[in-house]
């Protein structure tokens, strides 16, 4: 008996790509040409990823990039950060690193999220936030716009406050957790 049971999902409800991404048919992927998934990434049911938002001016495409072994939880909203300039909304690219787990119902408008980052459920990650490698954002945390979260920091609260430094082993722990989650995420046939 495995210590970590499988996480079942209905095979018909997910699309699996050649690179091992598993994308729920109940997720909204707007502007898919502008969204890059690194491989072995899970986009859960009800998640919304806005790759359809543009910078002012012709042909300025904003790209959302997610690394490998990322999990976007149910009901998450990921949209690029924006500024208003001379009455125009200007959207900017967003880069999310490898081994990033974003909990259910979180809203992310960060500029950059590093590698090995854990974001809890019901979080708000404000516009242009930068989260460095190996950080942990607790459930129900609000990071104000333009926040910078240092590497190995544990943040919590509304607005977010520094709680503690995380151990050096955080990188290996988060990498193991995200790979394990991906491997446990197994298709089942509908009855």
């Amino acid at each position: 008996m495995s210590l970590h049971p499988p996480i079942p999902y209905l095979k018909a409800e997910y699309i699996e790509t050649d690179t091992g991404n598993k994308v729920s048919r109940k997720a909204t992927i707007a502007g898919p040409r502008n969204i890059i998934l690194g491989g072995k990434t899970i986009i859960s049911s009800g998640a919304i990823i806005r790759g359809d938002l543009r910078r002012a001016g012709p042909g300025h495409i904003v790209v959302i990039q997610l690394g490998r072994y990322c999990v976007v939880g149910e009901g998450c909203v990921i949209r690029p950060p924006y500024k208003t300039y001379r009455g125009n909304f200007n959207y900017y690219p967003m880069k999310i690193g490898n081994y990033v787990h974003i909990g259910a119902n979180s809203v992310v408008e960060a500029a950059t999220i590093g590698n090995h980052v854990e974001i809890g459920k019901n979080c708000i990650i404000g516009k242009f936030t930068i989260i460095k490698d190996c950080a942990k954002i607790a459930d129900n945390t609000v990071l104000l716009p333009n926040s910078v979260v240092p590497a190995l920091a544990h943040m919590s609260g509304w607005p977010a406050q520094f709680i503690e430094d995380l151990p050096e082993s955080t990188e290996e722990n988060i990498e193991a957790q995200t790979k394990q989650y991906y491997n446990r995420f197994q298709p089942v046939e509908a009855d």
Side-chain angles (χ1 to χ4, degrees):
M1 173 79 186
S2 171
L3 204 60
H4 304 285
I7 302 165
Y9 69 91
L10 288 176
K11 189 172 186 173
E13 277 187 23
Y14 277 78
I15 300 163
E16 186 162 354
T17 68
D18 294 344
T19 54
N21 296 311
K22 297 178 182 184
V23 180
S24 172
R25 293 179 190 276
K26 293 180 179 176
T28 301
I29 309 295
R33 285 191 308 267
N34 308 330
I35 299 168
I36 300 166
L37 302 179
K40 297 194 159 112
T41 285
I42 298 169
I43 310 294
S44 303
S45 173
I48 299 170
I49 302 180
R50 296 292 308 268
D52 60 333
L53 304 170
R54 297 175 176 269
R55 278 179 100 149
H60 288 97
I61 308 263
V62 170
V63 174
I64 296 177
Q65 186 175 347
L66 284 95
R68 293 182 26 238
Y69 287 103
C70 290
V71 177
V72 177
E74 290 191 13
C76 282
V77 176
I78 296 180
R79 61 180 172 242
Y82 65 87
K83 285 181 185 160
T84 306
Y85 179 70
R86 292 188 179 166
N88 289 323
F89 271 133
N90 276 313
Y91 290 95
Y92 293 84
M94 176 190 292
K95 186 173 192 303
I96 298 174
N98 299 320
Y99 310 106
V100 174
H101 192 129
I102 302 170
N105 302 311
S106 289
V107 176
V108 178
E109 292 183 285
T112 310
I113 298 175
N115 298 313
H116 307 95
V117 172
E118 198 176 325
I119 297 172
K121 298 181 185 102
N122 307 311
C123 291
I124 297 173
I125 309 301
K127 292 187 297 239
F128 296 104
T129 294
I130 296 171
I131 301 176
K132 305 278 187 165
D133 293 348
C134 303
K136 180 175 181 167
I137 312 301
D139 291 353
N140 307 307
T141 295
V142 175
L143 283 170
L144 298 175
N146 305 306
S147 299
V148 176
V149 176
L152 294 167
H154 183 188
M155 305 293 285
S156 181
W158 187 320
Q161 301 289 318
F162 174 81
I163 301 299
E164 64 182 350
D165 284 317
L166 296 168
E168 292 289 325
S169 60
T170 298
E171 181 176 333
E172 296 86 56
N173 293 345
I174 291 177
E175 187 167 323
Q177 286 168 9
T178 51
K179 282 182 173 177
Q180 192 177 77
Y181 187 96
Y182 180 85
N183 292 330
R184 289 168 52 208
F185 197 74
Q186 295 295 321
V188 293
E189 300 293 339
D191 292 338

